[in-house]
Amino acid sequence: MRLPDLEAWAMFAAVVEHRSFTDAAKALSISKATVSKAVTRLEQHLETSLFNRTSRRLALTESGKRLAAHAARILEEGQAAEEAARQDTAELSGTIRLGAPMTFGLLRIAPLIAEFAKLHPAVDVDLHLSDARIDMVEMGLDATLRIADMPDSSLRARRLGDVKLHVIASPSYLAERGRPTHPSDLGAHDCLCYSNAPTPDVWRFSGPGQQNVVIQVRARITVNSGDAMLPALKAGIGIARLPDFIVSDGLASGELEEVLVDWRPSPLGLHLVTPPSRLRPARVEALLDYITRHHGC
């Protein structure tokens, strides 16, 4: 039985993460030649090339792409095992890479990161904010927050709570176009749609007597950021369906009004998503526990 070359797998993962042999060597505090020899050794054992190398560019081959996630897990689990052995005697340290939706991340997660950083001065946090669907394994994220219905996947998802959706418009729009009282009335209205939704112009409602209604709306403006809808909403361009954390201030100030209050869009789940491995560094577990307790969803 031949033991796997775990050191070579870990160095391959580091090169993938840093997109450079030189930068991977610096991160690992070893020579570039050591990293290069380890990757070459792995390629010879696997009998396949992992990188296409030129003087200007380093790119994964198809085999490299298939194996990169496995290598990342090997490195991650090795680091997690070492940190688990140290966590009783040492303070948390190292880098955490976390993803979150743009507006939710700015309003709810960034303040928690600041608080967590004060509590753990030896921990660095790399926060990636985006409303687009991302491949967290490919991006090397330790965890990400998602506001969506989660499809089946190899990722591990923990539901932290519900995100309430509101159907809203400005008083000026409602004065000019009238106030819808049933979801079917939306067919006569202009709507603002969120392009990152699976079906941006298909809105689902639950109403009195457990009725369920599905409506296809006319998208006057489609945009990939809920925040970007606010100027058009306040200008009276149309009706939108947006989460509480985006519209709560506008509703409180009277700049926006809720419509169809008896017909609620199904809430979205706030999920904490992590890679398949159950082993995580203590610093990651600490941040995820902190977010779970304080997210304010």
Side-chain angles (χ1 to χ4, degrees):
M1 174 181 175
R2 186 182 188 279
L3 291 175
D5 190 343
L6 298 178
E7 182 180 65
W9 279 105
M11 291 188 191
F12 167 51
V15 175
V16 174
E17 178 182 351
H18 294 280
R19 296 178 173 84
S20 162
F21 280 81
T22 300
D23 292 344
K26 288 179 181 177
L28 296 172
S29 300
I30 57 178
S31 71
K32 178 183 175 183
T34 300
V35 175
S36 181
K37 287 178 183 177
V39 173
T40 299
R41 188 170 72 240
L42 185 60
E43 289 177 321
Q44 290 172 346
H45 173 63
L46 297 174
E47 298 182 348
T48 187
S49 295
L50 299 172
F51 294 103
N52 290 316
R53 303 169 176 85
T54 69
S55 59
R56 295 185 177 182
R57 188 167 178 266
L58 182 69
L60 285 167
T61 63
E62 288 303 313
S63 294
K65 291 176 182 177
R66 288 197 302 272
L67 296 172
H70 294 284
R73 286 196 291 273
I74 290 171
L75 177 57
E76 173 191 317
E77 295 199 7
Q79 291 171 328
E82 288 191 358
E83 188 158 342
R86 295 195 305 264
Q87 63 183 335
D88 291 336
T89 58
E91 68 174 341
L92 298 178
S93 64
T95 299
I96 304 170
R97 296 176 176 84
L98 178 69
M102 179 62 72
T103 305
F104 187 82
L106 286 170
L107 296 177
R108 302 289 175 83
I109 301 304
L112 297 184
I113 296 299
E115 295 168 6
F116 185 83
K118 280 189 174 183
L119 293 172
H120 302 285
V123 174
D124 301 325
V125 180
D126 181 354
L127 180 61
H128 177 87
L129 299 180
S130 175
D131 287 337
R133 294 191 68 84
I134 58 173
D135 185 330
M136 65 173 297
V137 174
E138 183 177 326
M139 292 185 63
L141 298 178
D142 295 301
T144 187
L145 290 149
R146 291 184 180 170
I147 299 175
D149 295 323
M150 292 299 299
D152 291 336
S153 75
S154 62
L155 301 175
R156 300 171 62 83
R158 185 198 319 167
R159 192 180 182 106
L160 300 184
D162 289 338
V163 176
K164 184 180 178 181
L165 294 174
H166 300 266
V167 181
I168 34 81
S170 70
S172 62
Y173 177 90
L174 297 174
E176 180 181 350
R177 300 289 297 272
R179 181 183 295 270
T181 59
H182 188 276
S184 61
D185 296 340
L186 292 174
H189 287 269
D190 294 330
C191 294
L192 314 179
C193 295
Y194 180 59
S195 62
N196 284 326
T199 51
D201 60 346
V202 176
W203 294 4
R204 292 172 170 80
F205 296 86
S206 298
Q210 297 184 331
Q211 298 178 72
N212 294 308
V213 176
V214 180
I215 299 296
Q216 184 163 13
V217 301
R218 176 183 180 272
R220 176 79 189 281
I221 295 176
T222 302
V223 65
N224 66 353
S225 166
D227 263 337
M229 294 185 199
L230 292 177
L233 266 174
K234 293 174 182 179
I237 303 300
I239 296 174
R241 182 186 59 170
L242 287 170
D244 181 72
F245 58 85
I246 291 181
V247 300
S248 58
D249 288 347
L251 290 172
S253 68
E255 290 182 287
L256 300 173
E257 293 184 19
E258 188 166 13
V259 298
L260 299 175
V261 293
D262 293 328
W263 293 87
R264 294 291 185 186
S266 299
L268 297 173
L270 172 66
H271 295 89
L272 184 57
V273 184
T274 53
S277 171
R278 292 179 180 271
L279 287 174
R280 284 189 290 273
R283 63 181 179 274
V284 175
E285 288 287 2
L287 177 58
L288 300 189
D289 288 344
Y290 194 82
I291 290 172
T292 300
R293 286 185 279 114
H294 300 287
H295 60 80
C297 176

